Amino acid sequence: MQGEKSMWCGLEKSSLSIATTCVVISAIATNTASAAITRNDYKPQQFRAVLYGLGYKVKVKSGALTDKETIAAIKEFQKGYKLKDVNGQADKATQDLAAQIVYTLKGNLNIVLKLKPAMARNQYYGPQTMSAVKQFQKKNKLAETGIADLKTRMLLDEEAKKILNEKPAEPKPTETPKPTPKPTEKPKPAPKPTEKPKPTPKPTSTAKPSPTSTPTEKPTPKPSVTPKS
């Protein structure tokens, strides 16, 4: 792949003068397509279609590019893009530049709209190109004309640049989810063995002394009275 630069230029008419506005844009071109955008092989109708598609006032028709309307449109194109010869003729330099602009336009449409299948990148501005331009205009709330005027091309170029400059996000390794730690249970105190109630000691009965038996007094024998004789 190699970088390629082209210029979007347009003429902004005012009541006093015509000011030339040019915008440098970037595009990506392949080596195999480089020859396609420098071939000087437009047929009159195809070249008019390019001028019309880029916003120049010209009718798309066959026939030599020698009518006043076509000559005026070619001169405006040559002057806007600051070509050396502003002669109103579709010479090689003029056709090559027109081809490069359309080639860049199609590449940007492919990038921004992500067309599938992608539109063939060549120097022709046909119904497919016009349809893609309308799609872009609709997306950006512009008038859906299918004409890639200066405003449309500048906006398209800005969007294409943003996409090309974006770096793809690097995939991050998926983190293995860590198991949620369960709260540590506080050790429960070991239950103390229940003490068996000790039997209440029965009071020891105090041995009562056995009452000492009072000795029975034996009657003292009284002396017998001897009768008096």
Side-chain angles (χ1 to χ4, degrees), residues 15-164:
S15 57
L16 298 177
S17 62
I18 297 178
T20 302
T21 304
C22 298
V23 180
V24 176
I25 69 161
S26 61
I28 304 298
T30 60
N31 290 331
T32 56
S34 297
I37 62 172
T38 57
R39 286 194 308 228
N40 181 17
D41 61 353
Y42 279 118
K43 293 179 180 178
Q45 186 171 345
Q46 293 171 339
F47 192 67
R48 285 190 176 97
V50 169
L51 292 173
Y52 177 80
L54 297 179
Y56 294 91
K57 188 177 179 180
V58 65
K59 293 182 180 67
V60 180
K61 60 182 181 180
S62 58
L65 303 172
T66 54
D67 58 282
K68 289 183 179 180
E69 183 182 61
T70 303
I71 291 173
I74 293 174
K75 281 184 176 181
E76 187 177 353
F77 175 82
Q78 292 168 332
K79 185 177 181 180
Y81 284 94
K82 298 182 179 180
L83 292 178
K84 182 179 179 181
D85 295 323
V86 182
N87 52 22
Q89 297 176 12
D91 52 25
K92 185 179 185 304
T94 302
Q95 290 195 39
D96 286 351
L97 179 58
Q100 185 178 347
I101 293 170
V102 176
Y103 182 85
T104 299
L105 172 69
K106 288 186 171 186
N108 286 346
L109 287 168
N110 282 334
I111 292 169
V112 174
L113 297 178
K114 297 179 174 61
L115 297 174
K116 291 184 179 180
M119 183 166 45
R121 294 184 69 179
N122 53 40
Q123 69 267 43
Y124 304 113
Y125 200 110
Q128 190 180 15
T129 309
M130 188 169 286
S131 177
V133 171
K134 282 183 180 180
Q135 188 178 337
F136 175 77
Q137 290 169 330
K138 182 178 181 180
K139 176 185 173 185
N140 289 276
K141 298 180 180 180
L142 301 174
E144 297 172 40
T145 61
I147 294 173
D149 55 16
L150 182 62
K151 182 178 180 180
T152 300
R153 282 177 275 161
M154 288 175 65
L155 185 58
L156 175 64
D157 178 59
E158 288 177 6
E159 290 197 24
K161 281 181 180 177
K162 287 179 183 178
I163 294 171
L164 291 173

Side-chain angles (χ1 to χ4, degrees), residues 183-208:
T184 307
E185 294 184 0
K186 293 182 179 180
K188 294 180 181 179
K192 294 180 180 179
T194 307
E195 294 182 1
K196 293 182 179 179
K198 294 179 181 179
T200 306
K202 294 181 180 180
T204 305
S205 55
T206 306
K208 293 181 180 180

